[in-house]
Amino acid sequence: MCPGYLDGLFAGMSISVPPLFNFGNERIRTEIGPAVLRGERRSCLAITEPYVGSDVANARTRAEKSACGTYYILNGVKKWITNGHGADYFITLARTGGPGAKGLSMFLVERTEGVSTKLLKTSYSTAAETTYVIFENVRVPAENLLGREGDGFMVAMGNFNHERYALCCGLLGHARYTMEEAFKWAAQRKVFGKTLINQPVIQEKFAKMVTRVESVHAWLETITHQMNNMNYAEQNEKLGGIIGLLKYEIAQVANLVADETVQILGGRGVTQGGMGRIIERFNRTYKLPAVYGGSSEIVASLGIRQAMKSYPRDAKL
């Protein structure tokens, strides 16, 4: 299945709904959140900006509180927002105070006057509705603040763990499916008098792929168990860095699978349609999860920085 289609079905919703239930008021938790889960309304997470990607703390979109204190005026732009083009609600990070992380707040912004969207074409599919969002003097009720003013960075960071976990599950599943398709082909394609799978060089390619895929899958299962047995606070404290490293490693495994399966399929591996369509599509789309949800460089750094926090200061060789 096309990853763009999958993203269009659930990605924007799955990463934008948790803040509604974790930090929204009663109306948001009992009316808006359930409506999105039932498919009656659509939502997206609007954090990334044209000039701010991984550097979330320096977001420029601004929300100014009115003199009466009953609403905010929101101005700014967001880019590469999954599910944004058809969204009814935008879970939006905006600056309400000074520079840095402490000046940010998170809002539920309803599609209303001043909100406009433009569909962006990416390398995989417009079905994901990757979007450029413009906020021009949008009036946002003060009760649509998610959490407290100044807590926006914390809300955004707390949301990343399960987003990255979901990305890991999806990318690894696609990698395994792609490897399986290549194995089927290798078992039936004959070259120099015998099937590809009986060629030592091809066996080595599969050995590299299988060991990496199975190893990272076992790691994913371990983290899944931990997530199912930790509360929200424990997950944020103990799993953020580990999930980041898992995402980093799965992106490397996906790169290996994309490269080796194309080599195994040859021309069919770069042809849209036919026996190699799965391999071609994976080779064209596998790179995206290495960029969004925290680039590979950012999550690798996060993993090591988190490990250093608990490293004994006096440890020496």
Side-chain angles (χ1 to χ4, degrees), residues 44-224:
C44 66
L45 185 66
I47 293 180
T48 303
E49 300 178 357
Y51 20 74
V52 176
S54 299
D55 190 11
V56 175
N58 284 314
R60 300 184 190 179
T61 296
R62 186 148 197 99
E64 298 283 355
K65 199 168 190 177
S66 64
C68 64
T70 60
Y71 61 89
Y72 291 81
I73 297 297
L74 182 67
N75 284 282
V77 294
K78 300 291 182 180
K79 195 172 185 180
W80 300 292
I81 306 304
T82 304
N83 280 170
H85 196 52
D88 300 291
Y89 305 112
F90 303 81
I91 314 310
T92 305
L93 187 68
R95 188 161 302 283
T96 52
K102 294 182 179 179
L104 295 171
S105 301
M106 192 75 83
F107 295 90
L108 166 66
V109 181
E110 302 180 45
R111 185 180 284 273
T112 185
E113 184 178 355
V115 178
S116 58
T117 56
K118 179 182 179 182
L119 193 64
L120 299 174
K121 290 186 177 181
T122 64
S123 59
Y124 71 141
S125 173
T126 54
E129 291 191 357
T130 306
T131 305
Y132 188 81
V133 184
I134 303 172
F135 300 115
E136 295 181 291
N137 295 321
V138 180
R139 182 176 290 201
V140 182
E143 59 264 28
N144 282 15
L145 180 67
L146 298 174
R148 297 173 298 181
E149 191 170 296
D151 283 350
F153 186 79
M154 179 272 292
V155 175
M157 292 299 103
N159 200 51
F160 274 135
N161 282 346
H162 89 275
E163 176 185 356
R164 289 167 180 164
Y165 171 81
L167 287 171
C168 288
C169 294
L171 183 56
L172 184 58
H174 278 108
R176 182 181 289 277
Y177 179 38
T178 302
M179 182 177 67
E180 178 186 340
E181 287 291 297
F183 197 95
K184 291 176 183 176
W185 171 252
Q188 71 183 61
R189 172 68 166 173
K190 287 189 176 181
V191 178
F192 304 117
K194 55 183 177 181
T195 58
L196 271 178
I197 200 65
N198 285 310
Q199 304 283 353
V201 66
I202 301 300
Q203 292 172 350
E204 183 185 13
K205 289 182 182 296
F206 278 110
K208 287 192 293 185
M209 288 189 287
V210 170
T211 52
R212 294 287 297 279
V213 167
E214 293 298 341
S215 296
V216 79
H217 193 159
W219 190 9
L220 175 63
E221 292 289 350
T222 298
I223 292 176
T224 301

Side-chain angles (χ1 to χ4, degrees), residues 6-19:
L6 290 175
D7 285 352
L9 283 177
F10 75 89
M13 178 194 72
S14 66
I15 62 178
S16 61
V17 165

Side-chain angles (χ1 to χ4, degrees), residues 227-245:
M227 291 185 75
N228 283 327
N229 289 277
M230 288 183 182
N231 60 37
Y232 196 75
E234 286 180 300
Q235 289 179 30
N236 286 339
E237 177 187 355
K238 299 177 181 178
L239 296 183
I242 296 174
I243 293 173
L245 291 175

